[in-house]
Amino acid sequence: MKVKSVPLLVLMLIVSWTGLTAQTPDRAEILDSLDRQSSYRDTDFSAEYTIVSEKPGQERSVFQVRSFRRDSSDSFVMVILEPRVRRGEGYLQLGETAWSYDPESREFGVFSMKENFQDSEARNSDFSSLTVSESYEITDIQQARLGSFDVYLLDLKALNDRVTFPRIRFWVRQDNYLVLKEEMYSLSGRLMRTGLITSYARVSGRFVPTKILYVDNLNQGERTEITARNISFQDIPDSVFTRSYLERIGR
Amino acid sequence: MIEMKLALRNLARQKKRTILLGGAIAFGIMVITLVNSFTAGAEYNVKENFSYLLAGHIYVEEQIRRDDDKVVLLFEHPQVVEETLAEIGIDARSVMRRSAYQGQFIFSGRSADQTVQGVNWERENALQERMILLEGQLEDIISDPSAVVLSEQVARRLGAEIGDELIVRMSTVTGQQNVGSLVIRGIMQDPGLLGSISAYAHLEMVNSHINIPVDSYQALHISIDRFTQVDMLTDQLHRALGERAAVAPRISQQDVAVTSTSLVYQDDESEPWTGSRFSVTNINDYLGQIEQISSALTITGMVILLVLIAIIMVGVINTFRMVMYERVKEIGTMRAVGMQRKSVKRLFLWEACFLALFGYLAGVVLALGVSAVIGFFPIPLENPFSLFTQSGIITFPIQLGSLAVNFLLITVLTVCAAWFPARKAARMDPAAALRATA
């Protein structure tokens, strides 16, 4: 009995090990996929976003913005379309430098991608590109289930102390690595924000998130929903990524 | 002496005219006195509010440029500054170590943005003296490392009480998001607009929140006894520090916006630098624009006074011309009974002088009354104007120098305005004056 059970145990171990290795995804591949999802290095990108924020005891705020991205040169422009009173306000990022533009005073100000967009739960950086692999490393991968999807639960740790969130958790689909959920943690390890990507659209062969819900885990009841439409990967004129463009459309 | 008595009698004789003319002078004096006092009070209050907010008058920081070009504020070489301060004779007891961050307090679904000042409670005597604790005990604050003191206004906004634990969200010195918790151990009386935007916590706790060594600090705040010495001592400290270590160039007052109340590093350098360096600033660097506003207000007040005086002087000239024609017979009689030309002239000038004096005194009394009444209407501390007030009260300190200048100005000008009618009255021929029908 004893002699028979040893090879069986070895066989079981081998089977379970090969099964595990078959199911454990390549970390570099996942990071590469995450980069491709959030950064379009080979093409320009533009989209219109509707940002609806809810805070307890406050009126719902609705913003509509148009965003232009050229990730290959870290260029980013965002212009407010609605509400009417804020129309023409814009943001421009060229590499490390970023400006905001106020059409009323016709002045440029300092702008940080780390700031929240108009007091919502969305950050300015949520509308620009993010190269995950440059800033984070995967420290843990687990298989899990999110709703009806089989997912990998990724634990990411910041590689430097400059990134906004020192720790992030992603729930990515096992079949195509699309991010379905993300959690952002503070340096002290406290959950600060949860993002739920509830809808994707396939545009020019790429998956683009079209509905994202951000929930503030510190301020109960504060949430922001972002809806994307008019998504385009067509070339954008160079003149868009200039300060004079913001001045021109702010008139 | 007789001329003075006659002048007073003449003023009393024409009460309505005296009151109207004196009232015009009083109004002008009231306006300029109020403007002068308000300007002086506002300037003083702004400086006081800022010195409370910034804890002291001279500020030293160490800026460290990291390999990734990011600049952080952190004292890595405190001994250099300590030796320099000792060298120029600044008492170590007047030096406070501080760290700070812009945080968001969250409690029970409510939030409030605050500057959280990290203080060393044992060393912060001035803060202890000025802070009026409405609830909580200083001993509890000192003994609890996670203690925080909030202003009454902020505690009310959060709906929090003593003993409640608050979540606080902030960024570290390198821009990472962090979350901590602090326990309310003290609620202080609102110390004005600027004061109420600050909460106070232990230095070590603040350091851990912004992710710098707990025994470190971000800035040295130096309090000095005489405000007038601020610039001189700042320059002296800047020079002395420059002999021992790299220092940032002194910023000119025009380069600092009045809104930049926080001592946060802003990279606008024309000359690149590496490693670490010290920056020395003072309260006047942040209040340069306030002084400009104050000067503009004073000049505006003077212009208003001159316009009012010009109008009043026209009135005085016309009135005294009228008085001269009304009193032609009286002048003739006085001259006939032996009064000299000089005496007639002096009579008119004394009248003008007394008119100016009464108008001036009435103006000052009116100004005191108006300022007292204004004092009954406090400005809400949320109102940005409360920056110019003392805990919401507009103050009108008496400016003896301005009062003296205004008195001399109004008296001399009134006397000058009466000069020509007085001279004409003095030159009148007594016989012709007695014959006159007017």
Side-chain angles (χ1 to χ4, degrees):
Chain A
M1 183 68 183
K2 211 174 183 180
V3 177
K4 278 183 186 174
S5 64
V6 171
L8 187 67
L9 191 66
V10 171
L11 185 70
M12 281 171 69
L13 276 172
I14 291 169
V15 168
S16 60
W17 182 81
T18 50
L20 264 178
T21 50
Q23 286 169 353
T24 304
D26 182 356
R27 293 183 180 201
E29 192 187 327
I30 292 181
L31 280 177
D32 185 50
S33 170
L34 291 175
D35 285 347
R36 273 187 278 115
Q37 282 178 52
S38 55
S39 185
Y40 312 115
R41 294 272 154 196
D42 54 343
T43 177
D44 289 346
F45 171 82
S46 68
E48 251 176 55
Y49 294 101
T50 303
I51 302 135
V52 182
S53 298
E54 287 175 22
K55 292 189 177 197
Q58 287 183 26
E59 247 181 65
R60 210 167 65 135
S61 90
V62 181
F63 276 86
Q64 204 172 320
V65 299
R66 179 98 197 151
S67 146
F68 303 93
R69 279 166 53 180
R70 182 170 290 165
D71 296 347
S72 57
S73 60
D74 278 336
S75 303
F76 166 76
V77 166
M78 189 161 67
V79 182
I80 294 178
L81 307 173
E82 295 289 341
R84 185 178 283 272
V85 287
R86 308 291 296 274
R87 185 179 290 176
E89 280 182 37
Y91 306 91
L92 167 67
Q93 187 198 14
L94 297 174
E96 294 286 311
T97 319
W99 300 271
S100 62
Y101 178 69
D102 177 14
E104 206 154 299
S105 62
R106 296 182 180 179
E107 282 183 1
F108 285 90
V110 183
F111 164 62
S112 167
M113 296 299 281
K114 288 183 174 181
E115 288 170 8
N116 282 25
F117 173 79
Q118 301 292 337
D119 203 28
S120 72
E121 298 319 309
R123 290 179 169 266
N124 295 322
S125 55
D126 293 332
F127 302 96
S128 67
S129 69
L130 170 71
T131 314
V132 182
S133 60
E134 279 180 8
S135 308
Y136 293 94
E137 62 174 350
I138 298 174
T139 54
D140 188 36
I141 303 179
Q142 286 178 30
Q143 295 190 42
R145 200 160 169 84
L146 185 70
S148 56
F149 295 100
D150 287 321
V151 294
Y152 292 121
L153 172 53
L154 313 175
D155 226 314
L156 283 85
K157 193 178 136 200
L159 291 168
N160 58 60
D161 60 5
R162 296 187 309 278
V163 292
T164 308
F165 295 105
R167 184 188 161 212
I168 299 181
R169 294 176 96 190
F170 282 126
W171 280 254
V172 300
R173 275 174 60 164
Q174 289 188 6
D175 52 352
N176 55 13
Y177 298 148
L178 283 182
V179 179
L180 299 181
K181 182 183 172 184
E182 58 187 30
E183 283 183 350
M184 275 71 173
Y185 291 83
S186 73
L187 186 67
S188 58
R190 188 154 188 153
L191 177 59
M192 297 187 75
R193 188 179 82 159
T194 302
L196 298 162
I197 304 165
T198 56
S199 169
Y200 277 91
R202 202 176 172 104
V203 183
S204 305
R206 298 164 196 266
F207 284 105
V208 180
T210 52
K211 198 165 264 187
I212 309 169
L213 177 68
Y214 286 116
V215 178
D216 189 328
N217 296 100
L218 297 176
N219 288 298
Q220 292 294 315
E222 294 193 8
R223 46 190 276 160
T224 296
E225 190 177 72
I226 302 174
T227 314
R229 62 191 183 99
N230 294 336
I231 296 161
S232 166
F233 284 97
Q234 288 181 356
D235 287 348
I236 299 166
D238 293 346
S239 59
V240 169
F241 301 103
T242 58
R243 284 163 55 127
S244 57
Y245 174 75
L246 289 182
E247 287 174 316
R248 202 165 59 244
I249 58 153
R251 277 175 204 149
Chain B
M1 192 66 184
I2 188 77
E3 294 120 9
M4 287 166 75
K5 276 186 183 169
L6 283 171
L8 283 170
R9 188 208 63 178
N10 284 343
L11 284 175
R13 223 166 45 168
Q14 296 284 341
K15 284 193 183 72
K16 198 183 268 181
R17 186 189 289 156
T18 306
I19 288 170
L20 279 173
L21 207 54
I25 294 172
F27 180 74
I29 289 297
M30 181 194 75
V31 170
I32 188 64
T33 306
L34 282 174
V35 169
N36 283 342
S37 301
F38 169 77
T39 308
E43 194 178 333
Y44 178 81
N45 291 335
V46 167
K47 286 184 177 175
E48 276 293 297
N49 286 334
F50 268 83
S51 85
Y52 182 63
L53 172 75
L54 300 173
H57 306 96
I58 302 173
Y59 321 104
V60 187
E61 295 169 339
E62 185 173 356
Q63 302 166 349
I64 295 162
R65 191 182 285 281
R66 305 194 318 175
D67 294 339
D68 59 7
D69 213 32
K70 188 165 184 67
V71 175
V72 294
L73 300 182
L74 170 65
F75 260 96
E76 284 190 343
H77 307 95
Q79 68 284 357
V80 176
V81 182
E82 283 161 12
E83 283 167 18
T84 312
L85 290 174
E87 184 188 291
I88 63 171
I90 291 179
D91 188 352
R93 284 171 298 183
S94 63
V95 180
M96 288 156 287
R97 297 168 178 184
R98 287 210 174 183
S99 296
Y101 61 77
Q102 295 295 320
Q104 184 191 38
F105 285 114
I106 301 163
F107 179 74
S108 188
R110 300 180 188 182
S111 63
D113 293 332
Q114 289 273 277
T115 302
V116 183
Q117 300 277 353
V119 299
N120 188 333
W121 288 103
E122 280 89 355
R123 291 173 63 106
E124 295 260 2
N125 295 330
L127 178 65
Q128 286 184 30
E129 282 165 19
R130 282 197 63 168
M131 183 184 283
I132 301 165
L133 279 178
L134 299 174
E135 290 177 55
Q137 300 293 324
L138 190 62
E139 298 76 47
D140 296 338
I141 298 165
I142 293 171
S143 62
D144 183 355
S146 61
V148 65
V149 179
L150 295 182
S151 74
E152 188 186 13
Q153 191 185 337
V154 174
R156 209 182 312 126
R157 201 186 311 158
L158 291 168
E161 294 173 351
I162 293 284
D164 284 335
E165 187 174 340
L166 308 177
I167 295 171
V168 56
R169 174 170 28 198
M170 78 295 295
S171 290
T172 66
V173 285
T174 55
Q176 286 187 304
Q177 287 288 296
N178 203 3
V179 178
S181 63
L182 293 167
V183 179
I184 304 177
R185 292 288 176 220
I187 294 175
M188 61 181 170
Q189 191 180 62
D190 290 320
L193 176 77
L194 289 174
S196 62
I197 62 171
S198 290
Y200 297 91
H202 281 266
L203 180 64
E204 293 80 5
M205 183 57 75
V206 167
N207 287 344
S208 73
H209 284 168
I210 58 176
N211 200 27
I212 63 173
V214 287
D215 56 349
S216 180
Y217 49 92
Q218 287 189 296
L220 282 175
H221 294 231
I222 302 157
S223 293
I224 58 167
D225 297 331
R226 287 191 185 172
F227 203 88
T228 48
Q229 292 182 331
V230 167
D231 286 322
M232 187 264 290
L233 270 174
T234 307
D235 290 338
Q236 198 182 345
L237 177 59
H238 185 258
R239 266 197 311 276
L241 255 180
E243 287 167 11
R244 292 165 183 264
V247 289
R250 284 274 293 128
I251 47 172
S252 68
Q253 293 185 0
Q254 287 75 25
D255 293 341
V256 183
V258 69
T259 47
S260 91
T261 56
S262 63
L263 304 172
V264 176
Y265 171 76
Q266 291 179 340
D267 198 354
D268 53 354
E269 299 299 323
S270 49
E271 286 180 29
W273 58 279
T274 54
S276 84
R277 66 175 190 177
F278 293 98
S279 85
V280 185
T281 52
N282 70 30
I283 195 160
N284 287 336
D285 296 334
Y286 297 90
L287 299 184
Q289 289 187 9
I290 294 293
E291 280 172 1
Q292 285 172 22
I293 293 168
S294 170
S295 304
L297 269 175
T298 308
I299 291 167
T300 309
M302 279 311 286
V303 170
I304 292 169
L305 180 71
L306 289 175
V307 171
L308 283 172
I309 283 175
I311 296 166
I312 293 164
M313 289 312 116
V314 172
V316 169
I317 290 171
N318 282 334
T319 307
F320 275 87
R321 275 171 66 89
M322 215 160 64
V323 165
M324 187 193 72
Y325 289 121
E326 277 175 4
R327 295 186 198 155
V328 167
K329 277 193 171 177
E330 192 182 318
I331 294 164
T333 308
M334 286 192 293
R335 293 278 288 116
V337 296
M339 187 182 250
Q340 297 298 308
R341 283 176 195 275
K342 278 184 182 173
S343 295
V344 174
K345 196 170 152 187
R346 272 196 223 117
L347 174 65
F348 272 74
L349 295 181
W350 275 119
E351 214 172 312
C353 197
F354 282 129
L355 190 68
L357 177 67
F358 295 145
Y360 174 82
L361 290 174
V364 172
V365 170
L366 271 174
L368 290 174
V370 169
S371 58
V373 170
I374 292 173
F376 282 117
F377 300 97
I379 307 290
L381 294 176
E382 312 86 80
N383 190 320
F385 185 75
S386 69
L387 174 70
F388 299 98
T389 67
Q390 198 176 68
S391 299
I393 305 294
I394 301 173
T395 54
F396 294 89
I398 293 169
Q399 299 298 298
L400 288 176
S402 301
L403 285 177
V405 168
N406 294 343
F407 174 68
L408 282 175
L409 192 69
I410 201 76
T411 309
V412 168
L413 288 176
T414 310
V415 168
C416 285
W419 179 269
F420 294 103
R423 195 176 62 173
K424 200 166 183 181
R427 283 178 181 176
M428 218 174 262
D429 177 35
L434 281 169
R435 278 199 304 274
T437 52

